[in-house]
């Protein structure tokens, strides 16, 4: 279960790439684990390392000086497309990333991220362009993420508002999870199942277990 | 919901268990498919909370992603993969879930065996920890991929929290030309709307060309809905659907079958139902498609030339295209036809079914794979493999110099040792051409089984419409 999502301030990791797919975030060969540990090492593995295990030159942004400890990733549109692997947000979170700012997120990635204390912040293209410009001027600029108020505070008292699903927001702020909510619906689930015949029986022919 | 409804609306309305103000709907799930890669952490979560699987009889498991495609009497050499498959077996035993495991005659890719066993049926909600769950939409089911946290929720409650998706009509009018198949339709759609075009939506594929397709071709199209950003894509059930399902092991039987068909016939979208978005494709204008870049939306008609990044509309697009061409080592303006290839892969949940193998075999019969080209044919399931061998397809593949393998996801995701070497080019019937998807440094051209087989013979990307007797070849896929 995730911890309550608290507001935080952080410098930013710029990744000006569109359509970053989850195969890049965590290559498939790292999906053989049966737990969630060690995935920080797999994060963007093939963008970071040569085949012989040495760091690529020029270095990928995560490996550039002064990038460690930054908790906000600023990425291009359609972040997290492709495979449904939840290993992608697990890896980002275990690296220390708590928010991804982009112009759009793939549906399954967004869903997975929100369940792991990783906040997708979707802004319009103009705001997005301005953020990259701000970073170009001041690579060490610090942003403050305030989920409760749904704003990112920029330097100079400027606020960047963002939308978030109200239910997901509540779950994040309270540090509770959806499974707890669903388990609380057992009366409704029992009632629905009482009104609906099972459509299939994976142990035998359908229509025999009604 | 009242008034005219779409197929998606009807399935959705039928599965809403509860709705709190401000919260997503609690949606009941009819069928939960489980595989070895995205489930272990979910079972760990159940144990930690002391929970049971609410409906093991609505859950089914198989091992597909990390299994070798070498002969089954050999052990799994990769220790991590072996441990993952063993963990799945343990989890299924402990939680009483039916498992079509390694060595079982019903093992195979999860999206191949569901339909094959008759588990996938119209009007159902179906989920799996796999983005290609959209495949099952071919039967008029609302089927979508979920993450591992959601796998745990479905195991525990047989429900999910979901917001109603928007709908996106994909109309394919007219008829496909010989040599042009379902794979070309979906690659053409993706090249048109882009890989985020369907985000937040569910596709409903309709129109004359869709109605004329076999169930297996429909599955190929629905399978790649996720490559357009749509979590699900579906097709209204019709007589083609019912003919495919009748008599399958888990399909309803006797009076239950008649009841089910009556229910299924009410599912298609009402004539006046409105979609949030719509796109129309002229089937007759489509050519065989091939991708040139590093996402499935970067596709072209096979006779076209690689685009020039300098002509891209904005900086982000130009950078993306430059990066893709650099990775693929292709030049702007270069023809795709004649591009040399090293490997041809026939298989996957997109194109690893019996009709796909029949098409590839028909194109290869009496011919030979070009020198220097490695061709792998990987059936989508053990049942597909047995059927292919009954029909003698394996002899055609072997005589042509291709490698005939055991069932699994194989080189589509390259988790099992079947992979490209850095720099190699592959024509692949799978679904993703992302960087490194088929092996670190490997380069993928996505295409149909016919295009892949024609390219294997030529040793380079080749137009399947030039195969001798293409009219009769194209009919081999059949219904």
């Amino acid at each position: 279960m995730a911890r309550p999502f608290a507001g935080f301030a952080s410098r930013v990791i710029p990744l000006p790439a569109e359509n970053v797919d989850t195969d890049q975030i965590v290559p498939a060969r790292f999906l053989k684990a049966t737990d969630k540990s060690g995935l920080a090492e797999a994060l963007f593995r093939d963008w970071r390392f040569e085949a012989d295990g040495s760091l690529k030159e020029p270095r990928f942004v995560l490996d550039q000086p002064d990038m460690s400890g930054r908790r906000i990733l600023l990425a291009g549109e359609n972040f997290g497309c492709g495979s449904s692997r939840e290993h992608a947000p697990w890896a980002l979170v275990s690296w220390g990333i708590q928010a991804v700012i982009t112009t759009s997120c793939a549906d399954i990635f967004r869903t997975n991220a929100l369940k792991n204390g990783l906040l997708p912040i979707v802004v319009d293209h103009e705001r997005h362009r301005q953020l990259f410009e701000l970073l170009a001027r001041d690579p060490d600029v610090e942003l403050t993420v305030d989920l409760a108020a749904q704003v990112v505070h920029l330097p100079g008292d400027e606020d960047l508002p963002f939308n978030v699903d109200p239910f997901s927001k509540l779950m994040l702020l309270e540090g509770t999870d959806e499974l707890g909510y669903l388990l609380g619906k057992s009366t409704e689930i029992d009632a629905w199942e009482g009104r609906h015949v099972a459509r299939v029986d994976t142990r035998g022919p359908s229509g025999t277990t009604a | 919901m009242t008034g005219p409804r779409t197929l998606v609306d009807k399935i959705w309305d039928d599965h809403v268990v509860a709705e709190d103000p401000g919260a997503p709907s609690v949606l009941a799930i009819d069928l939960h498919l489980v595989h070895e890669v995205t489930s272990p952490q979910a079972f760990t979560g159940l144990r930690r909370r002391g929970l049971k699987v609410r409906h093991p009889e609505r859950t089914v498991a198989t091992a597909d992603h990390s299994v070798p495609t070498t002969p089954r009497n050999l052990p799994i050499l990769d220790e991590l993969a072996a441990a993952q498959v063993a963990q799945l077996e343990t989890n299924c035993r402990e939680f009483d879930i039916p498992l079509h495991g390694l060595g079982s005659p019903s093992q195979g890719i999860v999206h191949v065996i569901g339909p094959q066993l008759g588990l996938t049926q119209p009007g159902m909600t179906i989920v799996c920890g796999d983005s290609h769950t959209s495949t099952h939409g071919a039967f008029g089911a609302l089927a979508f991929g979920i993450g591992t946290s959601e796998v745990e929720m479905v195991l525990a409650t047989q429900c999910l929290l979901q917001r109603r998706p928007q709908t996106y009509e994909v109309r394919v009018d007219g008829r496909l030309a010989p040599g042009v198949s379902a794979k070309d339709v979906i690659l053409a759609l993706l090249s048109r709307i882009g890989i985020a075009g369907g985000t937040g939506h569910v596709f409903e594929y309709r129109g004359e060309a869709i109605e004329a397709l076999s169930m297996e071709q429909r599955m190929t199209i629905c399978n790649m809905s996720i490559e357009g950003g749509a979590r699900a894509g579906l097709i209204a059930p019709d007589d083609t659907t019912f003919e495919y399902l009748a008599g399958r092991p888990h399909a309803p039987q006797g009076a239950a079958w008649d009841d089910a068909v009556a229910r299924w016939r009410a599912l298609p979208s009402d004539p006046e139902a409105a979609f949030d978005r719509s796109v129309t494709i002229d089937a007759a204008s489509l050519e065989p498609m091939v991708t040139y870049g590093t996402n499935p939306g970067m596709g072209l008609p096979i006779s076209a030339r690689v685009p020039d990044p300098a002509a891209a509309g904005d900086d982000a697009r130009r950078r993306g295209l430059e990066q893709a061409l650099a990775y693929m080592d292709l030049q702007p303006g270069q023809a795709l036809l004649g591009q040399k290839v090293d490997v041809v892969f026939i298989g996957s949940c997109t194109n690893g079914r019996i009709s796909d193998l029949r098409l590839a075999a028909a194109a290869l019969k009496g011919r030979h794979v070009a020198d220097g080209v490695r061709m792998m044919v990987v059936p989508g399931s053990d049942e597909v493999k047995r059927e292919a061998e009954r029909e003698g397809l394996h002899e055609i593949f072997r005589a042509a110099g291709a490698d005939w393998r055991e069932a699994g996801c194989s080189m589509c995701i390259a988790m099992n040792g079947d992979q490209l070497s850095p720099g190699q080019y592959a024509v692949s019937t799978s679904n993703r051409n992302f960087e490194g998807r088929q092996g670190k440094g490997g380069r993928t051209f996505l295409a149909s089984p016919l295009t892949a087989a024609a390219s294997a013979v030529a040793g380079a990307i080749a137009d399947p419409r030039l195969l001798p007797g293409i009219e009769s070849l194209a009919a081999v896929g059949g219904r």
Side-chain angles (χ1 to χ4, degrees):
Chain A
M1 218 172 287
R3 293 189 309 269
F5 190 99
F8 67 95
S10 170
R11 292 182 292 167
V12 180
I13 303 167
L15 180 59
E18 296 192 328
N19 301 314
V20 174
D21 61 77
T22 54
D23 273 87
Q24 307 315 314
I25 300 173
V26 177
R29 63 184 183 279
F30 296 101
L31 307 186
K32 292 172 197 162
T34 51
D35 58 24
K36 302 179 187 177
S37 65
L39 279 167
E41 283 302 297
L43 182 65
F44 289 114
R45 186 77 192 183
D46 293 345
W47 284 359
R48 297 179 59 209
F49 291 94
E50 300 287 358
D52 66 4
S54 62
L55 286 173
K56 288 202 174 183
E57 290 295 345
R59 293 192 175 186
F60 182 64
V61 63
L62 291 182
D63 298 309
Q64 288 171 13
D66 238 13
M67 285 295 155
S68 73
R70 298 189 180 203
R71 293 188 273 170
I72 301 172
L73 182 69
L74 176 63
E77 77 173 11
N78 196 30
F79 188 83
C81 61
S83 158
S84 61
R85 61 192 68 167
E86 198 161 324
H87 308 68
W90 291 339
L92 286 160
V93 168
S94 57
W95 183 272
I97 309 286
Q98 286 182 271
V100 178
I101 306 179
T102 173
T103 52
S104 65
C105 254
D107 286 334
I108 304 179
F109 177 83
R110 188 190 66 249
T111 305
N112 287 340
L114 287 166
K115 290 175 176 56
N116 288 280
L118 176 64
L119 180 65
I121 298 176
V122 173
V123 299
D124 65 37
H125 283 88
E126 182 56 22
R127 291 291 202 163
H128 190 249
R129 194 181 57 75
Q130 288 168 357
L131 282 174
F132 270 109
E133 282 175 3
L134 178 64
L135 273 181
R137 284 197 303 276
D138 180 5
D140 292 327
V141 66
E142 196 167 75
L143 308 184
T144 304
V145 175
D146 184 343
L147 173 60
Q150 293 184 212
V151 291
V152 178
H153 298 296
L154 308 180
D157 291 335
E158 199 187 345
D159 281 351
L160 177 57
F162 60 89
N163 287 320
V164 60
D165 179 273
F167 184 78
S168 300
K169 176 181 172 179
L170 191 68
M171 296 279 127
L172 282 170
L173 288 174
E174 293 185 352
T176 56
D177 66 13
E178 293 183 6
L179 179 48
Y181 178 89
L182 277 175
L183 290 167
K185 293 288 174 197
S186 64
T187 307
E188 287 88 343
I189 297 171
D190 287 343
W192 188 90
E193 289 181 354
R195 298 192 304 272
H196 295 79
V197 175
R199 292 288 165 85
V200 76
D201 181 352
T202 55
R203 295 167 178 167
S206 293
T208 58
T209 55
Chain B
M1 203 177 157
T2 54
R5 294 187 302 166
T6 63
L7 169 56
V8 172
D9 292 328
K10 293 180 189 182
I11 301 173
W12 184 273
D13 294 345
D14 194 31
H15 288 83
V16 173
V17 171
E19 276 173 334
D20 285 338
S25 307
V26 177
L27 197 70
I29 302 302
D30 291 315
L31 176 65
H32 186 191
L33 309 165
V34 172
H35 67 80
E36 78 277 23
V37 172
T38 57
S39 66
Q41 298 87 350
F43 285 107
T44 301
L46 291 184
R47 284 190 193 96
R48 206 180 55 227
R49 297 183 201 237
L51 295 170
K52 289 191 159 100
V53 174
R54 182 175 174 98
H55 285 298
E57 82 290 355
R58 300 182 197 182
T59 312
V60 68
T62 191
D64 53 6
H65 281 64
S66 57
V67 303
T69 55
T70 46
R72 290 283 186 248
N73 55 355
L74 301 175
I76 303 179
L77 293 175
D78 181 333
E79 284 177 22
L80 285 175
Q84 201 170 50
V85 170
Q87 186 64 51
L88 179 72
E89 290 166 358
T90 302
N91 291 338
C92 288
R93 205 164 38 241
E94 181 180 335
F95 290 94
D96 208 20
I97 293 169
L99 169 66
H100 302 270
L102 214 51
S104 147
S106 47
Q107 180 267 340
I109 305 175
V110 66
H111 310 309
V112 175
I113 69 168
Q116 182 183 286
L117 291 167
L119 290 166
T120 302
Q121 295 169 21
M124 281 184 165
T125 50
I126 302 176
V127 297
C128 174
D130 190 284
S131 62
H132 292 112
T133 307
S134 56
T135 310
H136 307 266
F139 292 79
L142 181 59
F144 53 94
I146 57 177
T148 298
S149 295
E150 292 179 317
V151 169
E152 185 181 348
M153 291 177 210
V154 179
L155 288 172
T157 68
Q158 203 63 31
C159 288
L160 268 183
L161 284 164
Q162 292 287 304
R163 298 213 182 256
R164 185 190 286 262
Q166 294 193 289
T167 54
Y168 198 143
E169 175 188 42
V170 178
R171 175 169 282 283
V172 190
D173 289 330
R175 288 287 182 140
L176 296 170
V180 182
S181 63
K183 185 63 163 287
D184 304 305
V185 173
I186 187 65
L187 288 175
L189 173 72
L190 299 173
S191 74
R192 184 165 312 182
I193 69 167
I195 60 169
T199 303
H201 291 73
V202 169
F203 293 136
E204 183 179 334
Y205 304 96
R206 47 208 320 238
E208 184 189 359
I210 300 296
E211 289 163 17
L213 294 175
S214 68
M215 284 315 295
E216 296 198 350
Q217 295 240 322
R218 292 179 188 185
M219 282 187 251
T220 298
I221 290 185
C222 291
N223 171 272
M224 290 185 73
S225 300
I226 183 63
E227 314 312 337
R231 282 179 87 166
L234 29 61
I235 295 172
D238 60 11
D239 287 339
T240 303
T241 319
F242 309 146
E243 280 167 29
Y244 177 98
L245 269 171
R248 293 193 178 263
H250 291 269
Q253 292 168 8
W257 169 261
D258 296 333
D259 292 347
V261 171
R263 199 172 69 238
W264 297 340
R265 286 198 189 281
L267 283 170
S269 294
D270 297 330
E272 309 80 22
F275 294 85
D276 296 299
R277 298 182 72 177
S278 184
V279 64
T280 301
I281 291 173
D282 171 21
S285 71
L286 298 182
E287 287 187 45
M289 296 287 295
V290 181
T291 61
Y292 61 88
T294 51
N295 73 52
M298 293 178 167
L300 286 170
I302 198 165
S303 61
R305 291 174 179 275
V306 174
D308 187 349
D314 61 72
D315 283 356
R317 298 250 180 287
R318 180 179 49 72
R319 273 199 312 272
L321 199 47
E322 281 171 353
Q323 187 183 335
L325 296 190
Y327 182 84
M328 294 295 288
D329 195 20
L330 296 175
Q331 304 305 315
Q334 160 183 359
L336 287 170
L337 284 169
Q339 165 65 41
K340 189 183 165 306
V341 300
D342 305 295
V343 174
V344 171
F345 172 66
I346 306 256
S348 83
C349 58
T350 313
N351 280 127
R353 297 184 179 80
I354 188 65
S355 60
D356 300 310
L357 303 192
R358 285 180 190 139
L359 281 170
L364 282 175
K365 192 168 187 179
R367 301 186 179 88
H368 204 277
V369 173
D371 284 348
V373 173
R374 177 188 182 206
M375 180 170 182
M376 280 179 70
V377 185
V378 180
S381 71
D382 201 61
E383 169 59 30
V384 169
K385 180 168 188 275
R386 280 194 305 277
E387 175 58 25
E389 293 182 349
R390 275 194 293 273
E391 298 177 17
L393 305 184
H394 65 311
E395 300 297 354
I396 296 173
F397 291 127
R398 283 181 176 148
D403 194 3
W404 176 244
R405 314 280 290 197
E406 296 289 335
C409 298
S410 182
M411 203 187 275
C412 174
I413 188 164
M415 285 185 69
N416 73 333
D418 299 342
Q419 62 188 46
L420 299 178
S421 302
Q424 279 190 321
Y425 287 104
V427 175
S428 177
T429 66
S430 55
N431 41 56
R432 287 185 175 139
N433 52 348
F434 297 146
E435 289 182 25
R437 171 76 179 190
Q438 296 194 283
K440 187 175 161 78
R443 298 163 175 151
T444 302
F445 299 113
L446 299 176
S448 73
L450 271 179
T451 301
S455 302
V457 171
I461 293 177
D463 191 336
R465 292 171 299 182
L466 302 180
L467 287 165
I470 183 65
E471 280 81 6
S472 53
L473 269 187
V476 168
R479 283 179 103 78

